[in-house]
């Protein structure tokens, strides 16, 4: 086999289908978020405004996050020095797990190297080790849940997105004694819609099923202390396993689950993605803990975040830009064509120094290609003025779809 030809042919296919990803080379500037430097292929460096970061609250540059990281590095050094079992449990890991358990009102929490690994490991371990377990999964679930479920080899059913009746229909096919797990998200990050958590928990309870809730796009941002949508809606005790990330609103990196002592101990003792991977650096754990604590105590940041999102939706709609319906902090704008979506993004970057990544198939369905804006508490009215004027110009230049 001509291996090199195989690789390059495969890449050529991606390019011809408009699915080839080009990374935007950024140099973040601590303390100036959402401003950053953009290194361009021609060697130029431009100062730009980032409009699509998942550092939703700007905590990646918050002074408390940074000073906690500096302090832990000075005290403990760079790496953790091992897997959790073999010399890699640092005191900062223990403190972070306590902070997370408290955030979600659970007995225990368990840290992973990423949110992706938390989902993958927890779901694959539960599905593989609970005898006869059936996993019922929302059709819009994230890749990390899909991979975890697939890897578990458990029987899998996919219910229509946010459709409680469809979920009920699937769960009704099984005896009440059959072990079942319902896997879903709170905020879905591409459309910005939110699951009917209470109704899903009611149906799960009726059929004696466990609930597994990915709150990756909600932790730090919803609920009076940032515990997520389940906290906002007073439903934390209805969730068997909550999963989250330290890399989005908390601004650092890493993932976790929280739940009962026995459940966390079970994953700790059996989950290969937890056992066989070196733990996150102490500095990262310290920074994440400081960030979580800061957001617990600063609900005004969440209020400002929601206000910024509502204001951006309103201002774009006022000038005829087709904002897709969203009940969260996510502001998706419909383009509806892969090539035009990429062009709009390129135009905003190259002509207006505004960075928003195009979102194309397979991340979203064909025909729903979009630009996904994520305003943060640090995006000012001036940043918004510039965005609204620029996007209007791009829409005119490319003749893109107007709001209905
Ligand atoms: C980003 C994401 C993850 C993975 O989290 P990381 O910490 O980035 O690995 C899991 N679930 C959802 C819904 C996500 O969007």
């Amino acid at each position: 086999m001509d291996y090199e030809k195989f690789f390059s042919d495969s890449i050529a296919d991606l390019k011809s289908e408009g699915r080839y990803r080009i990374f935007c080379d950024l140099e973040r500037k601590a303390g100036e978020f959402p401003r950053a430097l953009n290194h361009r292929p021609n060697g130029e460096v431009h100062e730009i405004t980032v409009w699509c970061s998942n550092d939703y609250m700007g905590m990646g540059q918050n002074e408390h996050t940074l000073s906690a990281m500096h302090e832990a590095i000075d005290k403990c050094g760079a790496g953790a020095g091992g897997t959790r079992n073999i010399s890699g449990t640092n005191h900062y890991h223990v403190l972070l797990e306590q902070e997370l358990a408290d955030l979600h009102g659970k007995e225990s929490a368990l840290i992973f190297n990423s949110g992706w690994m938390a989902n993958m490991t927890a779901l694959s371990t539960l599905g593989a080790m609970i005898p006869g377990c059936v996993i019922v999964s929302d059709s819009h679930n994230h890749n990390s849940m899909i991979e975890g479920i697939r890897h578990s080899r458990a029987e899998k059913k996919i219910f229509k997105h946010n459709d409680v009746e469809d979920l009920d229909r699937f769960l009704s096919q099984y005896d009440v004694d059959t072990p079942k797990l319902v896997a879903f998200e709170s905020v879905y990050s591409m459309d910005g819609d939110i699951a009917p958590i209470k109704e899903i928990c009611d149906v799960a309870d009726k059929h004696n099923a466990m609930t597994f809730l990915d709150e990756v796009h909600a932790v730090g941002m919803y609920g009076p202390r940032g515990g997520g949508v389940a906290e906002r809606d007073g439903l934390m005790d209805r969730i068997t396993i909550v999963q989250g990330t330290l890399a989005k609103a908390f601004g650092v990196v890493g993932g976790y689950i929280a739940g009962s002592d026995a459940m966390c101990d079970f994953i700790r003792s059996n989950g290969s993605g937890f056992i066989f991977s070196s733990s996150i650096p102490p500095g990262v754990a310290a920074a994440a803990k400081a960030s979580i604590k800061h957001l617990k105590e600063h609900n005004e940041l969440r209020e400002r975040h929601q206000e910024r999102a509502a204001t951006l939706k309103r201002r774009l709609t006022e000038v005829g830009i087709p904002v897709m319906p969203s009940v969260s902090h996510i502001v998706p704008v419909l383009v509806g064509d892969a090539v035009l979506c990429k062009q709009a993004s390129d135009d905003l970057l190259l002509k207006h120094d505004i960075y928003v990544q195009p979102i194309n198939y397979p991340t979203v369905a064909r025909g729903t290609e979009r630009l996904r804006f994520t305003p943060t508490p640090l995006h000012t009215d001036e940043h918004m003025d510039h965005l609204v004027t620029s996007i209007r110009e791009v829409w005119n230049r490319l003749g893109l779809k107007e709001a209905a």
Side-chain angles (χ1 to χ4, degrees):
M1 185 181 191
D2 184 342
Y3 301 112
E4 288 302 312
K5 183 171 181 323
F6 171 81
F7 298 141
S8 48
D9 283 355
S10 164
I11 293 296
D13 286 348
L14 284 181
K15 284 183 178 164
S16 71
E17 290 165 25
R19 290 171 49 191
Y20 185 69
R21 294 185 166 106
I22 297 166
F23 297 158
C24 184
D25 182 346
L26 299 174
E27 186 179 330
R28 304 186 79 194
K29 297 171 76 176
E32 292 184 34
F33 186 75
R35 300 290 281 167
L37 298 177
N38 170 216
H39 294 258
R40 301 204 173 151
N42 63 5
E44 285 175 16
V45 182
H46 285 248
E47 193 170 327
I48 57 146
T49 308
V50 178
W51 274 100
C52 58
S53 176
N54 281 342
D55 187 354
Y56 290 124
M57 305 294 260
M59 290 304 291
Q61 309 193 352
N62 178 279
E63 55 176 320
H64 301 281
T65 314
L66 300 196
S67 63
M69 189 178 262
H70 281 296
E71 192 188 313
I73 289 173
D74 289 342
K75 272 166 74 175
C76 304
T83 60
R84 287 294 293 274
N85 190 43
I86 307 180
S87 97
T89 295
N90 196 276
H91 191 53
Y92 286 112
H93 296 125
V94 177
L95 295 176
L96 174 58
E97 285 173 342
Q98 288 168 1
E99 189 78 48
L100 288 164
D102 173 77
L103 176 67
H104 293 289
K106 298 293 186 196
E107 290 170 354
S108 279
L110 210 54
I111 317 164
F112 296 79
N113 292 5
S114 69
W116 195 93
M117 279 178 78
N119 272 336
M120 170 74 187
T121 304
L123 286 167
S124 62
T125 307
L126 293 166
M129 295 194 64
I130 299 173
C133 186
V134 178
I135 301 182
V136 192
S137 173
D138 186 285
S139 65
H140 285 198
N141 274 347
H142 189 257
N143 167 273
S144 51
M145 284 197 269
I146 296 169
E147 294 289 350
I149 295 165
R150 182 178 296 155
H151 191 74
S152 80
R153 301 185 171 199
E155 184 173 334
K156 168 184 75 176
K157 299 283 180 191
I158 297 170
F159 67 99
K160 277 192 218 129
H161 177 54
N162 282 348
D163 188 329
V164 180
E165 281 171 26
D166 204 42
L167 172 64
D168 191 33
R169 207 162 24 248
F170 278 120
L171 290 174
S172 304
Q173 295 170 8
Y174 301 93
D175 190 89
V176 73
D177 292 326
T178 301
K180 304 167 212 77
L181 184 152
V182 180
F184 63 117
E185 301 180 22
S186 56
V187 176
Y188 287 85
S189 75
M190 291 300 151
D191 291 320
D193 57 337
I194 295 182
I197 300 178
K198 179 182 179 298
E199 289 73 14
I200 288 177
C201 290
D202 288 345
V203 171
D205 282 354
K206 182 173 122 191
H207 298 282
N208 196 25
M210 293 187 287
T211 48
F212 184 106
L213 177 61
D214 174 325
E215 290 246 43
V216 161
H217 294 279
V219 290
M221 294 174 276
Y222 294 84
R225 296 200 313 155
V229 180
E231 187 196 22
R232 182 193 73 180
D233 297 350
L235 299 167
M236 287 202 293
D237 60 335
R238 307 282 308 273
I239 306 299
T240 318
I241 300 139
V242 58
Q243 180 272 352
T245 185
L246 306 171
K248 293 174 185 172
F250 296 130
V252 194
V253 76
Y256 65 91
I257 57 167
S260 71
D261 279 336
M263 188 280 297
C264 287
D265 206 9
F266 179 80
I267 304 293
R268 188 185 73 88
S269 307
N270 293 291
S272 40
F274 178 83
I275 297 172
F276 296 105
S277 193
S278 298
S279 52
I280 59 173
V284 168
K289 181 185 180 311
S291 178
I292 294 163
K293 183 165 181 293
H294 186 78
L295 286 181
K296 272 180 184 170
E297 293 163 357
H298 291 274
N299 198 43
E300 75 280 3
L301 285 172
R302 276 179 284 282
E303 284 166 5
R304 163 95 177 153
H305 183 218
Q306 291 297 318
E307 177 277 321
R308 292 284 80 190
T311 302
L312 183 62
K313 287 177 199 170
R314 176 177 56 75
R315 293 196 54 185
L316 290 174
T317 306
E318 275 168 9
V319 297
I321 302 297
V323 176
M324 299 166 76
S326 155
V327 294
S328 68
H329 58 283
I330 311 279
V331 184
V333 168
L334 182 68
V335 178
D337 177 277
V339 173
L340 288 173
C341 195
K342 171 88 173 74
Q343 253 177 39
S345 164
D346 286 348
D347 246 33
L348 281 168
L349 186 65
L350 301 176
K351 297 198 166 84
H352 302 278
D353 291 324
I354 285 171
Y355 171 45
V356 61
Q357 188 68 20
I359 310 285
N360 286 347
Y361 178 83
T363 306
V364 296
R366 288 200 172 91
T368 71
E369 292 83 359
R370 67 197 66 175
L371 301 174
R372 172 185 175 273
F373 296 89
T374 52
T376 72
L378 298 173
H379 284 85
T380 62
D381 284 338
E382 291 68 39
H383 293 136
M384 251 183 231
D385 293 342
H386 179 231
L387 171 64
V388 171
T389 318
S390 306
I391 197 173
R392 195 52 260 177
E393 278 179 43
V394 169
W395 242 246
N396 293 347
R397 203 153 45 223
L398 300 178
L400 301 179
K401 270 194 207 98
E402 302 288 323

